[in-house]
Amino acid sequence: MPPRPDDPAAPAAERPRVPRFTPAEHRVHRATATLMALCVLTAGCLYLPFLAELVGRRALMVTVHEWSGILLPVPLLLGLGSRALRADLTRLNRYGPHDRQWLRAALRRRGGRPAGKFNAGQKLYAAWIAGAILVMLGTGLLMWFTNLAPLVWRTGATFVHDWLALAVVLVIAGHVWKAFGDPESRRGLRTGSVDAQWARREHPLWEHEDNTR
């Protein structure tokens, strides 16, 4: 007897899939990731001597770094016209008892991690990176427009900008590492849908979450 489509033994292409992200959300994520990558790469060319010597053209790197940083919030702001994106931002900003349970289980490396469409780790990452972008934008502007504030403010802004940049690089590296460990999650962002079995296993409260909106 051939396996049923919802049987784990069925080929992945034959198993049912559920929609997860819209094309607008995909474009917002890709544009934001591209701008962030430009910020990180150009920062490396400005701060790391071996990259600075390899690439050269410091003035160009400064310009690209400044404008990619200024434009970082733009994809999200434009994406707010999407109802699906606004709904997902609401989900990301809602925390419940199941999120604390997920974090405890993750810290202890145990199973039983209940999650809605987004798990607690994804919610914390989204909140942290959004705050970091705003701080980086503010401190970057103080460094760029030197007449905006006294020298002591600009010195503090430079200190915060540099060390927060290092933290951002480490956090993004962890985010990418986790993404590579979950190909179905990446597929969902790329194609807009995920395997129904994966959704029930990794995000068991997702269906209930949508039914109670």
Short mmCIF file of all heavy atoms in Angstrom, two decimals, residues 17-85:
data_model
loop_
_atom_site.label_atom_id
_atom_site.label_comp_id
_atom_site.label_asym_id
_atom_site.label_seq_id
_atom_site.Cartn_x
_atom_site.Cartn_y
_atom_site.Cartn_z
N ARG A 17 1.31 20.99 2.36
CA ARG A 17 2.05 22.15 2.81
C ARG A 17 1.08 23.22 3.26
O ARG A 17 -0.07 23.26 2.83
CB ARG A 17 2.97 22.68 1.69
CG ARG A 17 3.98 21.65 1.19
CD ARG A 17 4.91 22.23 0.15
NE ARG A 17 5.81 23.22 0.71
CZ ARG A 17 6.90 22.93 1.43
NH1 ARG A 17 7.23 21.67 1.67
NH2 ARG A 17 7.67 23.88 1.89
N VAL A 18 1.55 24.08 4.14
CA VAL A 18 0.71 25.16 4.65
C VAL A 18 1.41 26.49 4.38
O VAL A 18 2.64 26.59 4.46
CB VAL A 18 0.44 25.01 6.17
CG1 VAL A 18 -0.40 23.77 6.43
CG2 VAL A 18 1.75 24.92 6.95
N PRO A 19 0.64 27.52 4.02
CA PRO A 19 1.26 28.83 3.75
C PRO A 19 1.85 29.43 5.02
O PRO A 19 1.25 29.35 6.09
CB PRO A 19 0.10 29.67 3.21
CG PRO A 19 -1.13 29.00 3.74
CD PRO A 19 -0.81 27.55 3.83
N ARG A 20 3.02 30.03 4.89
CA ARG A 20 3.69 30.63 6.06
C ARG A 20 4.03 32.09 5.83
O ARG A 20 3.82 32.92 6.71
CB ARG A 20 4.95 29.84 6.40
CG ARG A 20 5.68 30.34 7.65
CD ARG A 20 6.65 29.31 8.16
NE ARG A 20 7.48 29.82 9.27
CZ ARG A 20 7.11 29.84 10.54
NH1 ARG A 20 5.91 29.39 10.88
NH2 ARG A 20 7.92 30.28 11.47
N PHE A 21 4.58 32.44 4.68
CA PHE A 21 4.95 33.82 4.40
C PHE A 21 4.44 34.23 3.03
O PHE A 21 4.37 33.42 2.11
CB PHE A 21 6.47 34.02 4.46
CG PHE A 21 7.07 33.78 5.82
CD1 PHE A 21 7.91 32.72 6.04
CD2 PHE A 21 6.77 34.63 6.87
CE1 PHE A 21 8.46 32.49 7.29
CE2 PHE A 21 7.31 34.41 8.13
CZ PHE A 21 8.15 33.33 8.34
N THR A 22 4.14 35.51 2.88
CA THR A 22 3.71 36.05 1.60
C THR A 22 4.91 36.58 0.82
O THR A 22 5.99 36.78 1.39
CB THR A 22 2.71 37.21 1.82
OG1 THR A 22 3.40 38.27 2.50
CG2 THR A 22 1.52 36.76 2.65
N PRO A 23 4.75 36.80 -0.50
CA PRO A 23 5.86 37.38 -1.27
C PRO A 23 6.34 38.72 -0.71
O PRO A 23 7.54 39.01 -0.74
CB PRO A 23 5.25 37.54 -2.67
CG PRO A 23 4.21 36.48 -2.75
CD PRO A 23 3.63 36.39 -1.36
N ALA A 24 5.42 39.52 -0.18
CA ALA A 24 5.83 40.81 0.39
C ALA A 24 6.76 40.60 1.58
O ALA A 24 7.77 41.30 1.73
CB ALA A 24 4.60 41.61 0.83
N GLU A 25 6.45 39.64 2.44
CA GLU A 25 7.31 39.36 3.59
C GLU A 25 8.67 38.85 3.14
O GLU A 25 9.71 39.19 3.73
CB GLU A 25 6.63 38.35 4.50
CG GLU A 25 5.39 38.90 5.20
CD GLU A 25 4.70 37.87 6.04
OE1 GLU A 25 4.10 36.93 5.46
OE2 GLU A 25 4.73 37.97 7.28
N HIS A 26 8.67 38.02 2.11
CA HIS A 26 9.93 37.51 1.57
C HIS A 26 10.80 38.67 1.06
O HIS A 26 12.00 38.72 1.32
CB HIS A 26 9.64 36.53 0.44
CG HIS A 26 10.86 36.11 -0.34
ND1 HIS A 26 11.84 35.31 0.19
CD2 HIS A 26 11.27 36.43 -1.60
CE1 HIS A 26 12.80 35.12 -0.71
NE2 HIS A 26 12.47 35.79 -1.80
N ARG A 27 10.18 39.61 0.34
CA ARG A 27 10.95 40.74 -0.20
C ARG A 27 11.49 41.63 0.92
O ARG A 27 12.62 42.11 0.83
CB ARG A 27 10.06 41.54 -1.16
CG ARG A 27 9.81 40.84 -2.49
CD ARG A 27 9.19 41.78 -3.49
NE ARG A 27 7.81 42.11 -3.16
CZ ARG A 27 6.75 41.44 -3.60
NH1 ARG A 27 6.92 40.39 -4.37
NH2 ARG A 27 5.53 41.81 -3.25
N VAL A 28 10.69 41.85 1.96
CA VAL A 28 11.15 42.66 3.08
C VAL A 28 12.34 42.00 3.76
O VAL A 28 13.36 42.66 4.06
CB VAL A 28 10.01 42.89 4.10
CG1 VAL A 28 10.56 43.47 5.41
CG2 VAL A 28 8.96 43.82 3.53
N HIS A 29 12.26 40.70 3.98
CA HIS A 29 13.36 39.97 4.63
C HIS A 29 14.61 40.02 3.77
O HIS A 29 15.71 40.28 4.26
CB HIS A 29 12.94 38.52 4.90
CG HIS A 29 13.97 37.73 5.64
ND1 HIS A 29 14.98 37.05 4.99
CD2 HIS A 29 14.16 37.51 6.97
CE1 HIS A 29 15.74 36.44 5.88
NE2 HIS A 29 15.28 36.71 7.09
N ARG A 30 14.44 39.79 2.47
CA ARG A 30 15.62 39.76 1.58
C ARG A 30 16.26 41.14 1.49
O ARG A 30 17.50 41.26 1.53
CB ARG A 30 15.22 39.27 0.19
CG ARG A 30 16.34 39.34 -0.83
CD ARG A 30 16.04 38.52 -2.06
NE ARG A 30 16.07 37.09 -1.78
CZ ARG A 30 15.97 36.15 -2.72
NH1 ARG A 30 15.80 36.49 -3.98
NH2 ARG A 30 16.02 34.88 -2.39
N ALA A 31 15.46 42.18 1.35
CA ALA A 31 16.02 43.53 1.24
C ALA A 31 16.73 43.93 2.53
O ALA A 31 17.83 44.51 2.49
CB ALA A 31 14.90 44.53 0.92
N THR A 32 16.12 43.61 3.68
CA THR A 32 16.75 43.94 4.96
C THR A 32 18.05 43.18 5.14
O THR A 32 19.06 43.73 5.59
CB THR A 32 15.78 43.63 6.12
OG1 THR A 32 14.56 44.35 5.93
CG2 THR A 32 16.40 44.03 7.45
N ALA A 33 18.03 41.88 4.78
CA ALA A 33 19.25 41.07 4.91
C ALA A 33 20.36 41.59 4.00
O ALA A 33 21.54 41.61 4.39
CB ALA A 33 18.93 39.61 4.57
N THR A 34 19.99 42.04 2.79
CA THR A 34 20.99 42.58 1.87
C THR A 34 21.62 43.85 2.41
O THR A 34 22.85 44.02 2.38
CB THR A 34 20.35 42.86 0.50
OG1 THR A 34 19.82 41.63 -0.04
CG2 THR A 34 21.36 43.43 -0.48
N LEU A 35 20.79 44.74 2.93
CA LEU A 35 21.32 45.99 3.49
C LEU A 35 22.18 45.72 4.72
O LEU A 35 23.23 46.35 4.90
CB LEU A 35 20.15 46.92 3.85
CG LEU A 35 19.41 47.54 2.67
CD1 LEU A 35 18.14 48.23 3.14
CD2 LEU A 35 20.31 48.53 1.93
N MET A 36 21.74 44.76 5.55
CA MET A 36 22.54 44.43 6.73
C MET A 36 23.88 43.83 6.32
O MET A 36 24.92 44.13 6.93
CB MET A 36 21.77 43.46 7.62
CG MET A 36 22.50 43.07 8.89
SD MET A 36 22.79 44.48 10.01
CE MET A 36 21.16 44.65 10.75
N ALA A 37 23.87 42.99 5.30
CA ALA A 37 25.12 42.39 4.82
C ALA A 37 26.07 43.48 4.31
O ALA A 37 27.28 43.43 4.56
CB ALA A 37 24.84 41.37 3.73
N LEU A 38 25.53 44.47 3.59
CA LEU A 38 26.35 45.57 3.12
C LEU A 38 26.96 46.36 4.29
O LEU A 38 28.13 46.74 4.25
CB LEU A 38 25.52 46.51 2.24
CG LEU A 38 25.23 46.04 0.82
CD1 LEU A 38 24.26 46.99 0.13
CD2 LEU A 38 26.53 45.94 0.01
N CYS A 39 26.13 46.58 5.32
CA CYS A 39 26.65 47.29 6.50
C CYS A 39 27.80 46.52 7.14
O CYS A 39 28.84 47.10 7.47
CB CYS A 39 25.52 47.46 7.52
SG CYS A 39 24.35 48.77 7.15
N VAL A 40 27.62 45.22 7.31
CA VAL A 40 28.64 44.41 7.97
C VAL A 40 29.91 44.33 7.13
O VAL A 40 31.03 44.48 7.64
CB VAL A 40 28.08 43.00 8.26
CG1 VAL A 40 29.19 42.07 8.74
CG2 VAL A 40 26.97 43.08 9.30
N LEU A 41 29.76 44.08 5.83
CA LEU A 41 30.93 43.93 4.97
C LEU A 41 31.72 45.23 4.85
O LEU A 41 32.95 45.22 4.91
CB LEU A 41 30.49 43.45 3.59
CG LEU A 41 29.96 42.01 3.53
CD1 LEU A 41 29.42 41.69 2.14
CD2 LEU A 41 31.04 41.01 3.92
N THR A 42 31.00 46.34 4.67
CA THR A 42 31.72 47.61 4.56
C THR A 42 32.35 48.02 5.89
O THR A 42 33.42 48.62 5.91
CB THR A 42 30.78 48.73 4.06
OG1 THR A 42 29.59 48.75 4.88
CG2 THR A 42 30.38 48.49 2.62
N ALA A 43 31.69 47.68 7.00
CA ALA A 43 32.30 47.94 8.31
C ALA A 43 33.60 47.16 8.46
O ALA A 43 34.59 47.68 8.99
CB ALA A 43 31.32 47.57 9.43
N GLY A 44 33.59 45.91 8.00
CA GLY A 44 34.81 45.11 8.04
C GLY A 44 35.92 45.76 7.23
O GLY A 44 37.09 45.77 7.66
N CYS A 45 35.56 46.31 6.08
CA CYS A 45 36.56 46.97 5.23
C CYS A 45 37.08 48.26 5.85
O CYS A 45 38.18 48.73 5.50
CB CYS A 45 35.96 47.27 3.86
SG CYS A 45 35.58 45.79 2.89
N LEU A 46 36.31 48.85 6.75
CA LEU A 46 36.74 50.10 7.39
C LEU A 46 37.53 49.86 8.67
O LEU A 46 38.40 50.66 9.03
CB LEU A 46 35.51 50.96 7.72
CG LEU A 46 34.73 51.50 6.52
CD1 LEU A 46 33.45 52.18 6.98
CD2 LEU A 46 35.59 52.47 5.72
N TYR A 47 37.27 48.75 9.37
CA TYR A 47 37.86 48.54 10.69
C TYR A 47 38.95 47.47 10.71
O TYR A 47 39.78 47.47 11.61
CB TYR A 47 36.78 48.17 11.69
CG TYR A 47 35.96 49.36 12.14
CD1 TYR A 47 34.80 49.71 11.47
CD2 TYR A 47 36.35 50.13 13.23
CE1 TYR A 47 34.05 50.81 11.86
CE2 TYR A 47 35.60 51.24 13.63
CZ TYR A 47 34.45 51.56 12.94
OH TYR A 47 33.72 52.66 13.33
N LEU A 48 38.93 46.54 9.78
CA LEU A 48 39.92 45.46 9.77
C LEU A 48 41.02 45.80 8.77
O LEU A 48 40.75 45.90 7.56
CB LEU A 48 39.26 44.13 9.41
CG LEU A 48 38.13 43.67 10.35
CD1 LEU A 48 37.51 42.38 9.87
CD2 LEU A 48 38.66 43.51 11.78
N PRO A 49 42.26 45.96 9.24
CA PRO A 49 43.35 46.42 8.35
C PRO A 49 43.54 45.54 7.12
O PRO A 49 43.76 46.06 6.02
CB PRO A 49 44.58 46.38 9.27
CG PRO A 49 44.03 46.55 10.65
CD PRO A 49 42.72 45.83 10.63
N PHE A 50 43.47 44.21 7.27
CA PHE A 50 43.76 43.35 6.12
C PHE A 50 42.68 43.49 5.05
O PHE A 50 42.96 43.42 3.85
CB PHE A 50 43.92 41.89 6.55
CG PHE A 50 42.65 41.20 6.92
CD1 PHE A 50 41.97 40.43 5.99
CD2 PHE A 50 42.14 41.30 8.21
CE1 PHE A 50 40.79 39.78 6.33
CE2 PHE A 50 40.97 40.65 8.55
CZ PHE A 50 40.29 39.88 7.62
N LEU A 51 41.43 43.71 5.47
CA LEU A 51 40.37 43.94 4.50
C LEU A 51 40.49 45.33 3.87
O LEU A 51 40.23 45.51 2.68
CB LEU A 51 38.99 43.80 5.16
CG LEU A 51 38.49 42.38 5.40
CD1 LEU A 51 37.12 42.41 6.08
CD2 LEU A 51 38.40 41.60 4.09
N ALA A 52 40.87 46.31 4.69
CA ALA A 52 41.05 47.67 4.17
C ALA A 52 42.12 47.70 3.09
O ALA A 52 41.96 48.36 2.05
CB ALA A 52 41.40 48.62 5.31
N GLU A 53 43.23 46.98 3.31
CA GLU A 53 44.29 46.93 2.32
C GLU A 53 43.87 46.15 1.08
O GLU A 53 44.23 46.50 -0.05
CB GLU A 53 45.54 46.28 2.94
CG GLU A 53 46.17 47.11 4.04
CD GLU A 53 47.34 46.39 4.70
OE1 GLU A 53 47.68 45.29 4.21
OE2 GLU A 53 47.90 46.92 5.68
N LEU A 54 43.08 45.11 1.29
CA LEU A 54 42.65 44.27 0.17
C LEU A 54 41.67 45.01 -0.74
O LEU A 54 41.77 44.95 -1.97
CB LEU A 54 42.00 42.99 0.70
CG LEU A 54 41.51 42.00 -0.35
CD1 LEU A 54 42.68 41.42 -1.13
CD2 LEU A 54 40.72 40.87 0.32
N VAL A 55 40.73 45.73 -0.15
CA VAL A 55 39.67 46.39 -0.91
C VAL A 55 40.06 47.79 -1.35
O VAL A 55 39.82 48.20 -2.48
CB VAL A 55 38.36 46.43 -0.09
CG1 VAL A 55 37.27 47.19 -0.84
CG2 VAL A 55 37.90 45.01 0.23
N GLY A 56 40.68 48.55 -0.44
CA GLY A 56 41.00 49.93 -0.73
C GLY A 56 39.72 50.77 -0.88
O GLY A 56 38.66 50.42 -0.35
N ARG A 57 39.80 51.87 -1.57
CA ARG A 57 38.65 52.73 -1.87
C ARG A 57 37.84 53.02 -0.60
O ARG A 57 36.65 52.77 -0.51
CB ARG A 57 37.77 52.09 -2.94
CG ARG A 57 38.53 51.71 -4.21
CD ARG A 57 37.60 51.38 -5.34
NE ARG A 57 36.85 52.53 -5.80
CZ ARG A 57 36.01 52.49 -6.84
NH1 ARG A 57 35.82 51.36 -7.49
NH2 ARG A 57 35.36 53.58 -7.20
N ARG A 58 38.52 53.53 0.40
CA ARG A 58 37.90 53.77 1.70
C ARG A 58 36.71 54.72 1.59
O ARG A 58 35.68 54.51 2.23
CB ARG A 58 38.93 54.33 2.68
CG ARG A 58 38.36 54.57 4.07
CD ARG A 58 39.41 55.05 5.05
NE ARG A 58 38.81 55.32 6.35
CZ ARG A 58 38.58 54.41 7.28
NH1 ARG A 58 38.89 53.14 7.05
NH2 ARG A 58 38.02 54.74 8.43
N ALA A 59 36.83 55.77 0.79
CA ALA A 59 35.74 56.74 0.66
C ALA A 59 34.47 56.06 0.15
O ALA A 59 33.36 56.33 0.62
CB ALA A 59 36.15 57.87 -0.26
N LEU A 60 34.62 55.14 -0.82
CA LEU A 60 33.46 54.42 -1.34
C LEU A 60 32.86 53.53 -0.26
O LEU A 60 31.62 53.45 -0.12
CB LEU A 60 33.87 53.58 -2.55
CG LEU A 60 32.77 52.68 -3.13
CD1 LEU A 60 31.61 53.51 -3.64
CD2 LEU A 60 33.35 51.80 -4.25
N MET A 61 33.71 52.85 0.51
CA MET A 61 33.21 51.98 1.57
C MET A 61 32.44 52.78 2.62
O MET A 61 31.41 52.33 3.13
CB MET A 61 34.39 51.25 2.25
CG MET A 61 35.12 50.24 1.35
SD MET A 61 34.07 48.87 0.81
CE MET A 61 33.66 49.41 -0.86
N VAL A 62 32.94 53.97 2.94
CA VAL A 62 32.25 54.83 3.91
C VAL A 62 30.86 55.20 3.38
O VAL A 62 29.86 55.14 4.10
CB VAL A 62 33.07 56.10 4.21
CG1 VAL A 62 32.25 57.10 5.00
CG2 VAL A 62 34.34 55.74 4.98
N THR A 63 30.81 55.59 2.11
CA THR A 63 29.53 56.00 1.52
C THR A 63 28.53 54.85 1.50
O THR A 63 27.36 55.02 1.87
CB THR A 63 29.75 56.53 0.09
OG1 THR A 63 30.64 57.65 0.12
CG2 THR A 63 28.43 56.95 -0.54
N VAL A 64 28.97 53.69 1.07
CA VAL A 64 28.07 52.52 1.02
C VAL A 64 27.61 52.15 2.42
O VAL A 64 26.44 51.83 2.65
CB VAL A 64 28.78 51.33 0.34
CG1 VAL A 64 27.91 50.06 0.44
CG2 VAL A 64 29.07 51.63 -1.12
N HIS A 65 28.53 52.21 3.39
CA HIS A 65 28.18 51.87 4.77
C HIS A 65 27.14 52.83 5.32
O HIS A 65 26.15 52.41 5.94
CB HIS A 65 29.44 51.89 5.64
CG HIS A 65 29.19 51.49 7.06
ND1 HIS A 65 29.01 50.18 7.44
CD2 HIS A 65 29.07 52.23 8.20
CE1 HIS A 65 28.80 50.12 8.74
NE2 HIS A 65 28.83 51.36 9.22
N GLU A 66 27.34 54.12 5.08
CA GLU A 66 26.42 55.12 5.61
C GLU A 66 25.02 54.96 5.01
O GLU A 66 24.01 54.94 5.73
CB GLU A 66 26.96 56.52 5.33
CG GLU A 66 28.19 56.87 6.15
CD GLU A 66 28.84 58.17 5.70
OE1 GLU A 66 28.57 58.62 4.57
OE2 GLU A 66 29.64 58.72 6.48
N TRP A 67 24.95 54.81 3.70
CA TRP A 67 23.63 54.77 3.06
C TRP A 67 22.92 53.44 3.27
O TRP A 67 21.69 53.40 3.38
CB TRP A 67 23.76 55.10 1.57
CG TRP A 67 23.91 56.59 1.38
CD1 TRP A 67 25.05 57.26 1.06
CD2 TRP A 67 22.88 57.56 1.51
NE1 TRP A 67 24.81 58.60 1.00
CE2 TRP A 67 23.48 58.82 1.27
CE3 TRP A 67 21.52 57.51 1.82
CZ2 TRP A 67 22.76 60.01 1.33
CZ3 TRP A 67 20.81 58.69 1.88
CH2 TRP A 67 21.41 59.91 1.63
N SER A 68 23.66 52.36 3.34
CA SER A 68 23.01 51.08 3.63
C SER A 68 22.45 51.09 5.05
O SER A 68 21.38 50.52 5.32
CB SER A 68 23.98 49.91 3.43
OG SER A 68 25.13 50.05 4.24
N GLY A 69 23.15 51.76 5.97
CA GLY A 69 22.63 51.88 7.33
C GLY A 69 21.40 52.77 7.39
O GLY A 69 20.42 52.44 8.07
N ILE A 70 21.44 53.89 6.67
CA ILE A 70 20.28 54.80 6.65
C ILE A 70 19.05 54.10 6.08
O ILE A 70 17.91 54.30 6.54
CB ILE A 70 20.61 56.05 5.80
CG1 ILE A 70 21.61 56.94 6.53
CG2 ILE A 70 19.34 56.84 5.49
CD1 ILE A 70 21.06 57.62 7.76
N LEU A 71 19.26 53.25 5.08
CA LEU A 71 18.13 52.60 4.40
C LEU A 71 17.64 51.34 5.10
O LEU A 71 16.61 50.79 4.68
CB LEU A 71 18.56 52.25 2.95
CG LEU A 71 18.84 53.43 2.02
CD1 LEU A 71 19.37 52.94 0.68
CD2 LEU A 71 17.57 54.26 1.81
N LEU A 72 18.32 50.89 6.13
CA LEU A 72 17.95 49.63 6.78
C LEU A 72 16.48 49.56 7.21
O LEU A 72 15.82 48.53 7.00
CB LEU A 72 18.85 49.38 8.00
CG LEU A 72 19.91 48.29 7.85
CD1 LEU A 72 20.74 48.19 9.12
CD2 LEU A 72 19.29 46.96 7.51
N PRO A 73 15.91 50.60 7.80
CA PRO A 73 14.51 50.49 8.22
C PRO A 73 13.51 50.59 7.06
O PRO A 73 12.32 50.29 7.25
CB PRO A 73 14.33 51.67 9.19
CG PRO A 73 15.69 52.20 9.46
CD PRO A 73 16.51 51.86 8.27
N VAL A 74 13.96 51.02 5.87
CA VAL A 74 13.03 51.32 4.79
C VAL A 74 12.23 50.11 4.32
O VAL A 74 11.00 50.21 4.13
CB VAL A 74 13.78 51.99 3.62
CG1 VAL A 74 12.86 52.15 2.39
CG2 VAL A 74 14.32 53.34 4.05
N PRO A 75 12.85 48.93 4.10
CA PRO A 75 12.05 47.78 3.64
C PRO A 75 10.90 47.46 4.59
O PRO A 75 9.77 47.18 4.14
CB PRO A 75 13.07 46.64 3.58
CG PRO A 75 14.37 47.31 3.36
CD PRO A 75 14.29 48.58 4.13
N LEU A 76 11.15 47.49 5.90
CA LEU A 76 10.08 47.20 6.85
C LEU A 76 9.00 48.27 6.80
O LEU A 76 7.80 47.95 6.84
CB LEU A 76 10.65 47.11 8.27
CG LEU A 76 9.64 46.82 9.37
CD1 LEU A 76 8.93 45.49 9.14
CD2 LEU A 76 10.31 46.82 10.74
N LEU A 77 9.41 49.53 6.71
CA LEU A 77 8.42 50.61 6.65
C LEU A 77 7.53 50.48 5.41
O LEU A 77 6.31 50.66 5.48
CB LEU A 77 9.11 51.97 6.67
CG LEU A 77 9.86 52.31 7.98
CD1 LEU A 77 10.60 53.63 7.83
CD2 LEU A 77 8.89 52.38 9.15
N LEU A 78 8.14 50.14 4.28
CA LEU A 78 7.36 49.94 3.06
C LEU A 78 6.47 48.71 3.17
O LEU A 78 5.35 48.69 2.67
CB LEU A 78 8.30 49.82 1.85
CG LEU A 78 9.10 51.06 1.47
CD1 LEU A 78 10.03 50.77 0.30
CD2 LEU A 78 8.17 52.22 1.13
N GLY A 79 7.00 47.68 3.85
CA GLY A 79 6.26 46.44 3.98
C GLY A 79 5.04 46.54 4.88
O GLY A 79 4.19 45.64 4.88
N LEU A 80 4.94 47.62 5.66
CA LEU A 80 3.79 47.77 6.54
C LEU A 80 2.48 47.90 5.78
O LEU A 80 1.40 47.78 6.36
CB LEU A 80 3.99 48.99 7.45
CG LEU A 80 5.08 48.86 8.51
CD1 LEU A 80 5.22 50.15 9.29
CD2 LEU A 80 4.78 47.69 9.45
N GLY A 81 2.58 48.12 4.48
CA GLY A 81 1.37 48.11 3.67
C GLY A 81 0.79 46.72 3.50
O GLY A 81 -0.36 46.58 3.05
N SER A 82 1.55 45.68 3.85
CA SER A 82 1.09 44.30 3.75
C SER A 82 0.35 43.90 5.03
O SER A 82 0.91 43.98 6.13
CB SER A 82 2.27 43.36 3.52
OG SER A 82 1.91 42.02 3.77
N ARG A 83 -0.89 43.46 4.89
CA ARG A 83 -1.65 43.02 6.07
C ARG A 83 -1.00 41.81 6.73
O ARG A 83 -0.98 41.70 7.95
CB ARG A 83 -3.08 42.66 5.64
CG ARG A 83 -3.97 42.21 6.78
CD ARG A 83 -5.36 41.85 6.29
NE ARG A 83 -6.01 42.98 5.66
CZ ARG A 83 -7.21 42.91 5.09
NH1 ARG A 83 -7.86 41.76 5.05
NH2 ARG A 83 -7.74 43.99 4.54
N ALA A 84 -0.44 40.90 5.91
CA ALA A 84 0.19 39.70 6.46
C ALA A 84 1.41 40.06 7.30
O ALA A 84 1.64 39.49 8.36
CB ALA A 84 0.60 38.75 5.33
N LEU A 85 2.19 41.04 6.83
CA LEU A 85 3.37 41.46 7.59
C LEU A 85 2.95 42.10 8.91
O LEU A 85 3.56 41.83 9.95
CB LEU A 85 4.21 42.43 6.77
CG LEU A 85 5.46 42.98 7.47
CD1 LEU A 85 6.41 41.86 7.84
CD2 LEU A 85 6.17 44.00 6.58
#
